[in-house]
Amino acid sequence: MTNTLPTALVLAAGLGTRLRPLTLCRAKAAVPVAGVPLICRHLKRLTEQGVDDVVINLHHRPETIAAVVGDGFSLGCRVRFSWERVALGSAGGPRHALPLLGQRFILINADTLCDVDLEALLDTHLSCGASVTLAVTKNLAPHRYGGVVIDANGWVKEFAKAGDSRQSWHFVGTQVAEASVFETLADGKPASSIGGLYDRLLAHGKQVATHPVAKRFFDIGTPADYLATTHAVSNAEGRPLLSVGARTSVHPRAHIKRSILWDDVVIGADCVVTDCVIGDGVQLPRGSVLTGQAVVRVPPIAEYLSPETDDTRGGELLTIAIKS
């Protein structure tokens, strides 16, 4: 079966709390993965599969996403934005974006990466007549991730919480959904899909289907996840494990290993930086030694500050250990 792929909604409005302090500077979807902003990787995969109409929802640090995406023309698609004054969540966001979407749409979480065959996903969705169809893979870390419990025919029975010992599948962040599912929600009010709206669908029988995929799933949840994902993607694409952003300067006598340097970074002489993420505009003075650290320059806006600090002056460096 061959179907024309519908509009895609990329969910990028989240606060990225688990990725702090990095998301003090950029929205999670704007962080570079092996030198390419995460949101651009999503748009590239969408356009390569024939999706040319994309909506992105925005809330936290929206300018950092808009700056790398623009109108989407350079990435091969048309991009429109759905603005959220408050973060509306995984169901409230799609509800608010419905005027920009059709009766059916692809829904992608911007904070994960998994190469899903969208046409095959849509075929599964249409053939079983589901309201929602989730792309899933084997849940290899049920102690960390919640799971999708399914029946013998692939229909979702329930959603398990992290730590549940039952055999389950892992939702990889890509799905096809009918707009009618979200029309039941009030616009402008935060709401969740899994753990909320989708759980209510399950009470009405076979509503949520699954589509198994065998591709590797990458998470960008925490700084440790981000570093590991960047290294894995770099290896897969033949890129160096040292990722260097625009206008970044590294002194010839500095030693940088397996680290990510964002834009406008200056690394002084005799610095030793290993397994670190250095955020936009950070300047490391001569002789700095860092291992397993995330370093950002705090924006001078109180609402972006991490709960780990009460410093509201902005412009100063914030360093937090990257915990695996």
Side-chain angles (χ1 to χ4, degrees):
M1 185 185 300
T2 300
N3 300 286
T4 301
L5 292 172
T7 298
L9 170 61
V10 183
L11 297 178
L15 299 177
T17 304
R18 292 189 302 137
L19 194 57
R20 286 180 176 173
L22 301 177
T23 44
L24 300 179
C25 304
R26 300 192 188 195
K28 184 184 289 189
V31 303
V33 174
V36 180
L38 182 56
I39 188 66
C40 295
R41 287 186 173 274
H42 283 297
L43 296 184
K44 181 174 183 290
R45 289 183 176 186
L46 286 169
T47 56
E48 285 176 346
Q49 296 196 57
V51 178
D52 56 12
D53 190 30
V54 180
V55 176
I56 303 172
N57 72 336
L58 299 177
H59 171 65
H60 176 65
R61 301 309 306 258
E63 77 286 356
T64 62
I65 295 176
V68 297
V69 170
D71 62 4
F73 180 78
S74 63
L75 297 165
C77 59
R78 176 180 72 154
V79 169
R80 294 171 291 163
F81 297 107
S82 176
W83 299 86
E84 299 179 10
R85 297 188 64 180
V86 297
L88 295 176
S90 55
R95 170 62 185 90
H96 187 63
L98 286 183
L100 302 176
L101 305 168
Q103 66 175 7
R104 176 182 303 118
F105 54 92
I106 298 165
L107 191 54
I108 294 177
N109 295 350
D111 58 354
T112 60
L113 282 175
C114 187
D115 189 11
V116 176
D117 183 329
L118 298 178
E119 185 173 299
L121 174 63
L122 180 59
D123 284 349
T124 296
H125 179 78
L126 296 176
S127 64
C128 64
S131 297
V132 175
T133 302
L134 308 176
V136 296
T137 191
K138 291 182 178 180
N139 192 356
L140 301 179
H143 62 284
R144 181 180 181 192
Y145 297 111
V148 182
V149 181
I150 66 177
D151 66 18
N153 296 313
W155 291 97
V156 176
K157 295 168 59 179
E158 61 181 297
F159 298 105
K161 294 183 178 180
D164 194 309
S165 60
R166 288 176 297 172
Q167 184 177 12
S168 66
W169 294 75
H170 185 78
F171 171 48
V172 300
T174 300
Q175 57 187 299
V176 174
E178 300 296 311
S180 57
V181 169
F182 299 92
E183 290 171 350
T184 61
L185 300 174
D187 186 18
K189 292 188 177 181
S192 298
S193 53
I194 295 175
L197 177 62
Y198 290 2
D199 295 72
R200 294 194 292 274
L201 282 179
L202 298 182
H204 298 283
K206 296 179 178 180
Q207 295 285 319
V208 184
T210 57
H211 175 78
V213 297
K215 298 292 185 176
R216 186 173 177 182
F217 164 80
F218 294 103
D219 191 8
I220 322 290
T222 67
D225 293 331
Y226 170 52
L227 195 61
T229 288
T230 294
H231 289 167
V233 173
S234 296
N235 277 324
E237 296 178 350
R239 298 172 182 261
L241 293 185
L242 173 61
S243 178
V244 180
R247 302 173 301 279
T248 285
S249 173
V250 178
H251 194 279
R253 292 207 309 270
H255 300 278
I256 317 295
K257 296 181 180 178
R258 299 185 305 274
S259 295
I260 306 169
L261 312 181
W262 287 6
D263 296 345
D264 303 301
V265 172
V266 177
I267 307 293
D270 304 315
C271 288
V272 179
V273 178
T274 307
D275 295 320
C276 291
V277 182
I278 311 298
D280 295 323
V282 170
Q283 299 183 20
L284 293 184
R286 177 176 181 169
S288 299
V289 178
L290 296 172
T291 300
Q293 303 288 323
V295 185
V296 301
R297 182 170 295 281
V298 179
I301 303 175
E303 67 182 275
Y304 295 150
L305 294 179
S306 168
E308 289 84 5
T309 176
D310 59 3
D311 182 358
T312 58
R313 291 170 292 177
E316 298 184 358
L317 297 187
L318 175 61
T319 302
I320 292 180
I322 297 176
K323 300 177 182 179
S324 56

